[in-house]
Amino acid sequence: MLVERLFSLTRDKLMKIPAFAWAYGKFREAKDWLEATEAWRTIRSLSKAARNYLTQMKIFRAVPFRQS
């Protein structure tokens, strides 16, 4: 998170360095391609489902059982 924040603050100056701008452009192209693949979308979907399941389990465990 710290690196992301630092990058957002200095992005304009970094983009003035030709080698950095070129490398960042290639990185973005690769990332965009990867995120467009079916495998990426499937993994993201499974990840969200697992996160939702774990959240529900935490909520379920937080509610005490009633004994009759």
Side-chain angles (χ1 to χ4, degrees), residues 13-31:
K13 288 195 181 214
L14 287 170
M15 290 302 167
K16 292 178 182 175
I17 302 170
F20 183 87
W22 178 84
Y24 183 72
K26 294 297 181 184
F27 165 76
R28 288 300 309 167
E29 286 177 18
K31 186 176 177 186

Side-chain angles (χ1 to χ4, degrees), residues 1-15 20 24:
M1 190 169 92
L2 178 63
V3 173
E4 184 179 356
R5 179 71 177 143
L6 184 60
F7 177 72
S8 69
L9 292 173
T10 59
R11 184 176 188 273
D12 294 336
K13 288 195 181 214
L14 287 170
M15 290 302 167
F20 183 87
Y24 183 72

Side-chain angles (χ1 to χ4, degrees), residues 32-53:
D32 291 343
W33 172 81
L34 179 64
E35 290 176 350
T37 63
E38 184 66 29
W40 181 268
R41 289 192 299 267
T42 301
I43 294 298
R44 292 287 292 171
S45 176
L46 290 172
S47 174
K48 286 179 183 179
R51 196 174 309 121
N52 290 339
Y53 175 77

